[in-house]
Amino acid sequence: MRNCITTDILRAYRKKGLLICMGVVILLLTLALVITMVHPFKSMGGTSGTFKSLTSAFYDFNAFLVAIPVFSTVYSDDFKSRSMQTALGFGISRNKMILARFFECLILLIECHVFIMLLTFLYATICGASGVMAGLTGYLWIVALKILGFLCLAMILVYGTQKPTLGLVLFILLNADLFAFIVELIDMIPFLKDNDIKLHNVFPSGMIMNIDDAAHAGKIGETIARIILFIAVYVVVPVIISMRLFRKKELDF
């Protein structure tokens, strides 16, 4: 399985889509640096506030600029090239195959976000905004955690239908907060509202917001507990469900 992961990650590095999207990320962060140095906004808190506001806003695009190319590389190409069938033919179990794909997504996400973090630190140092790096770093990894959760939810559809396109559509809808909006509308139903039952708090976006709030409040224990709960519900459980669904699926060789 290790060789499979290594080979696929090296292949991902050669994909133009991922390289182009990372180039766009660099361009956006450079734009934040230029705006901060040329015309910092007093309403945003001067140099540090401007850089933090612009950079954190650009981080929100990571779901599309980083995750979609990763998704396409790991899942779409897998089904198109039938490399999965080849690997299964060599004796790799279906569970190991799913775990391999999960770890490929995880490694690529971590590597991309580490690069973004280091570039942000460099730019923050250049413009004299290094004091906001702690907050930006925390927010960056919270965004990465949300992306990982959405990728794992999309994985269920990928292996349940063997159609990566459907999984990609689900991932995009989750990141567009369409389902979060629907859940918020449900929360406005008088019965639920009067009983302080908030479905939004157990939805991925809501859980991520609660993690962010706990981190900003300096509640380290609560932050860690919420992160563990998120990983258990939206990472571990979807992977297990994907394994069970894929085990029953027929593959065309």
Side-chain angles (χ1 to χ4, degrees):
M1 186 171 72
R2 184 185 304 172
N3 292 336
C4 180
I5 293 174
T6 303
T7 301
D8 285 341
I9 288 177
L10 291 175
R11 177 169 55 85
Y13 291 150
R14 297 192 294 268
K15 297 291 290 186
K16 291 183 180 179
L18 181 59
L19 295 176
I20 291 173
C21 287
M22 289 305 296
V24 175
V25 170
I26 294 173
L27 181 63
L28 290 175
L29 290 177
T30 304
L31 180 62
L33 172 66
V34 172
I35 293 175
T36 300
M37 296 185 70
V38 174
H39 186 68
F41 296 97
K42 292 183 179 179
S43 60
M44 292 183 180
T47 299
S48 296
T50 300
F51 184 76
K52 182 178 181 180
S53 298
L54 292 175
T55 303
S56 58
F58 291 148
Y59 282 169
D60 291 330
F61 288 101
N62 285 0
F64 301 100
L65 294 175
V66 176
I68 289 180
V70 168
F71 184 98
S72 176
T73 300
V74 174
Y75 295 116
S76 298
D77 291 354
D78 206 14
F79 281 89
K80 286 180 181 178
S81 64
R82 296 185 180 275
S83 59
M84 180 184 298
Q85 288 89 330
T86 302
L88 292 174
F90 278 104
I92 298 178
S93 69
R94 296 192 178 203
N95 285 352
K96 286 185 177 181
M97 180 61 62
I98 289 179
L99 286 176
R101 297 299 177 258
F102 165 75
F103 283 116
E104 287 166 19
C105 283
L106 179 62
I107 292 170
L108 287 171
L109 281 178
I110 290 175
E111 290 177 343
C112 288
H113 282 83
V114 165
F115 172 79
I116 293 171
M117 181 182 68
L118 294 175
L119 184 62
T120 302
F121 178 76
L122 174 63
Y123 284 179
T125 302
I126 291 173
C127 69
S130 56
V132 301
M133 268 307 298
L136 283 174
T137 300
Y139 185 68
L140 175 67
W141 290 107
I142 287 175
V143 169
L145 181 62
K146 180 175 73 171
I147 291 173
L148 179 63
F150 286 166
L151 282 173
C152 289
L153 288 173
M155 183 194 301
I156 296 175
L157 207 54
V158 170
Y159 289 106
T161 64
Q162 295 186 45
K163 294 180 180 179
T165 303
L166 294 180
L168 180 59
V169 170
L170 175 61
F171 176 78
I172 293 173
L173 292 177
L174 286 168
N175 277 286
D177 285 333
L178 175 62
F179 296 113
F181 176 71
I182 294 173
V183 170
E184 288 179 358
L185 290 179
I186 295 174
D187 281 336
M188 294 174 65
I189 297 174
F191 170 77
L192 297 176
K193 188 175 182 180
D194 294 341
N195 287 276
D196 294 326
I197 300 174
K198 297 294 183 182
L199 295 178
H200 182 69
N201 289 333
V202 297
F203 196 74
S205 298
M207 292 184 72
I208 288 294
M209 288 178 61
N210 291 334
I211 292 172
D212 193 29
D213 291 341
H216 274 93
K219 300 176 181 178
I220 299 176
E222 181 181 339
T223 302
I224 295 174
R226 289 185 179 277
I227 290 174
I228 292 173
L229 179 61
F230 182 89
I231 292 173
V233 175
Y234 290 111
V235 177
V236 177
V237 171
V239 170
I240 293 174
I241 293 174
S242 298
M243 287 179 175
R244 297 186 68 87
L245 289 175
F246 191 50
R247 195 180 303 163
K248 302 175 182 179
K249 288 291 181 180
E250 294 285 342
L251 287 177
D252 296 327
F253 285 88

